[in-house]
Amino acid sequence: MLNGVGFIIILVCVFGSFVMAGGKMDIILHALPHEMMAIGGAAVGAFIVSNDMHTVKLAGKGLARSFKGSRWKESDYLDLLTLLFQLLTLFRKDGATALEPHLDNPHESSLFSRFPGIVADHHLVEFICDYLRMMTVNFEDPNQMAEAMEADIDRHHHEEAEPQHALQTMADGLPAIGIVAAVLGVIKTMGSIDQPVEILGSMIGGALVGTFMGVLLSYCVVGPLASKLNQTIEADSKPYILAKTAIVGYAQSLPVQVAVEIARRMTPSAMAPTFQQLETALDEAKNGLTPQAA
């Protein structure tokens, strides 16, 4: 919704100011189809040439993500902290034997199933389960655990950012592609140099539409979408930091509630539950850790 509002403001202000200044839209509208064919075709073709098919597919999904924004809301962070508390508490109270069934099949786990929004993020679920499983086989060095988790987060973030980098590269190249389209228009104009001034003026104006569209698409469409995708990727990587903080804190022999509280402090400020909200959720979680759930 916010993206749509932004694009409407761009179109109204750019073309509205042009018309208010006495510009003639018929020149732009006449040149737009073939200029956009040249610019759009060259940009998409160069994008395909410079990326593998996996990145091309991810870029399409990335554009959709840039419109949707981050899926993580305040309630999701509270759910994640509560889930981590339950898993670590179960581990501390009943040991690896009680925890392993939940890690081996989280989609059927009585703990994970309480938080369908978390289960839907299978990468995060795998991340949590893999490192808790390592702890069940005596991966006891907290420093090694922290380094391994940090490297894993960096790898995942790098992979997630590939389509964003590809889109930003496209945005950076669009002004130059617009110049290519404009030069073609100038070449066409020079081939008609014997025509009257009125016709030549219209042809040159049409050629300049290529430069205009290249710059507009770069800085007002593709570039902002790439920037929004980067913000979304950054926001969606925060839960991994929370999980790492809580699990490493537990590995350092901190009380479970303290480890989870430290993780809460890593939550983005706009989404962070208050201390009281977390305490209330954890009190409810304690009551939910029955022998049947374990």
Side-chain angles (χ1 to χ4, degrees), residues 15-33:
F15 291 103
S17 64
F18 175 73
V19 172
M20 290 174 63
K24 298 180 179 179
M25 284 296 296
D26 57 333
I27 297 177
I28 294 178
L29 295 175
H30 176 73
L32 195 59

Side-chain angles (χ1 to χ4, degrees), residues 149-167:
M149 297 182 84
E150 190 65 39
D152 206 350
I153 292 172
D154 288 344
R155 174 194 58 79
H156 178 73
H157 189 273
H158 177 76
E159 292 174 355
E160 288 281 289
E162 285 181 2
Q164 188 274 331
H165 294 321
L167 289 171

Side-chain angles (χ1 to χ4, degrees), residues 1-9 67 228:
M1 177 64 72
L2 194 59
N3 285 10
V5 172
F7 286 139
I8 291 173
I9 292 174
F67 279 90
K228 183 67 173 291

Side-chain angles (χ1 to χ4, degrees), residues 33-52:
H34 47 84
E35 294 291 338
M36 281 300 298
M37 179 179 178
I39 296 170
V44 171
F47 183 83
I48 293 173
V49 169
S50 59
N51 296 285
D52 56 34

Side-chain angles (χ1 to χ4, degrees), residues 84-262:
L84 290 168
F85 173 80
Q86 290 184 319
L87 292 170
L88 295 174
T89 298
L90 181 62
F91 193 8
R92 175 154 290 180
K93 288 175 61 178
D94 298 326
T97 303
L99 185 63
E100 284 175 352
H102 298 282
L103 304 182
D104 292 338
N105 196 353
H107 294 282
E108 296 183 4
S109 163
S110 58
L111 295 183
F112 281 93
S113 61
R114 299 173 188 175
F115 310 103
I118 306 298
V119 175
D121 191 335
H122 66 277
H123 289 298
L124 178 62
V125 171
E126 288 178 2
F127 179 81
I128 293 171
C129 291
D130 286 348
Y131 283 99
L132 286 177
R133 192 177 290 111
M134 288 183 188
M135 293 178 66
T136 66
V137 293
N138 296 323
F139 196 139
E140 295 180 348
D141 188 335
N143 293 326
Q144 289 184 355
M145 175 72 74
E147 290 176 5
M149 297 182 84
E150 190 65 39
D152 206 350
I153 292 172
D154 288 344
R155 174 194 58 79
H156 178 73
H157 189 273
H158 177 76
E159 292 174 355
E160 288 281 289
E162 285 181 2
Q164 188 274 331
H165 294 321
L167 289 171
Q168 186 59 57
T169 300
M170 175 190 279
D172 293 341
L174 276 168
I177 295 175
I179 293 174
V180 171
V183 169
L184 290 175
V186 172
I187 293 173
K188 175 186 174 184
T189 302
M190 295 306 292
S192 304
I193 197 68
D194 58 339
Q195 297 297 314
V197 174
E198 294 81 4
I199 295 178
L200 290 177
S202 178
M203 293 177 69
I204 292 173
L208 291 175
V209 170
T211 301
F212 161 69
M213 288 305 302
V215 174
L216 182 69
L217 289 172
S218 173
Y219 294 106
C220 295
V221 180
V222 181
L225 287 176
S227 178
K228 183 67 173 291
L229 177 57
N230 183 58
Q231 293 177 15
T232 301
I233 292 170
E234 291 288 341
D236 286 345
S237 70
K238 299 300 182 183
Y240 292 83
I241 305 298
L242 268 68
K244 171 201 161 190
T245 301
I247 293 173
V248 171
Y250 175 85
Q252 293 172 334
S253 301
L254 291 175
V256 174
Q257 193 157 347
V258 174
V260 173
E261 169 58 24
I262 294 173

